[in-house]
């Protein structure tokens, strides 16, 4: 005789019914590859300042592997809400540093910023394996 046990339904919390208010900030930079190192140092200072602001979740700056790639740098940051992102960007010290970086740039840097919501997401099998496991 085979017995089957019923699994309880997954637990849900009231927060799971609330809409996700988080946003993704993406900024792709057009800059000549030979000017990246100088730009990176100043970007890191501004990012460190932003990382202390309420609502900041994480940030990653991606560097192209090829100097021929149009967008040499791609910044992807996550914020708890659009309002907290806007408040952080309005910080006078951040504004001062951003303006100073633009004015002192030895090479043209063209930023292409925008806020985004996830439209489609796929998660691969490697994402569900614990770190260090072989599969």
């Amino acid at each position: 005789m085979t017995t089957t046990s019923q699994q309880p339904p997954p637990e849900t919390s009231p927060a799971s019914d609330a809409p996700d208010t988080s946003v993704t900030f993406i900024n792709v930079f057009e800059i000549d590859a030979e000017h990246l190192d100088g730009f990176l140092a100043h970007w890191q200072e501004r990012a460190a300042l932003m990382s202390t602001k309420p609502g900041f979740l994480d940030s990653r700056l991606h560097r192209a592997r090829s100097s021929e790639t149009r967008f040499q740098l791609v910044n992807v940051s996550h914020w708890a809400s659009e309002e907290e992102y806007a408040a952080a960007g309005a910080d006078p010290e951040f504004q001062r540093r951003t303006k100073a970086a633009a004015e002192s740039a030895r090479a043209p840097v063209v930023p292409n910023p925008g806020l985004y919501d996830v439209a489609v997401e796929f998660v691969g099998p490697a994402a569900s394996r614990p770190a260090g496991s072989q599969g």
Side-chain angles (χ1 to χ4, degrees):
M1 177 176 182
T2 306
T3 60
T4 58
S5 62
Q6 285 198 328
Q7 299 274 332
E11 291 186 34
T12 59
S13 65
S16 66
D17 296 332
D20 183 13
T21 60
S22 66
V23 294
T24 301
F25 172 75
I26 300 174
N27 196 355
V28 294
F29 297 92
E30 293 180 77
I31 182 173
D32 291 333
E34 66 266 16
H35 300 289
L36 284 174
D37 292 333
F39 178 82
L40 284 172
H42 293 292
W43 183 91
Q44 208 166 1
E45 290 173 2
R46 292 187 303 278
L49 175 65
M50 293 298 268
S51 72
T52 66
K53 302 299 179 188
F56 175 84
L57 300 175
D58 62 41
S59 183
R60 287 186 174 169
L61 184 64
H62 304 266
R63 185 175 184 160
R65 288 187 169 194
S66 168
S67 62
E68 301 301 313
T69 301
R70 178 178 177 188
F71 300 113
Q72 286 294 300
L73 297 170
V74 177
N75 173 34
V76 180
S77 302
H78 296 101
W79 290 82
S81 71
E82 186 172 349
E83 294 77 19
E84 288 171 306
Y85 164 78
D91 175 75
E93 179 61 16
F94 178 74
Q95 291 290 323
R96 184 191 68 73
R97 290 182 187 189
T98 301
K99 183 178 178 186
E103 290 173 352
S104 70
R106 291 192 173 107
V109 177
V110 180
N112 298 277
L115 291 178
Y116 296 84
D117 294 316
V118 175
V120 177
E121 180 177 44
F122 289 91
V123 178
S128 63
R129 281 185 272 183
S133 69
Q134 301 284 325

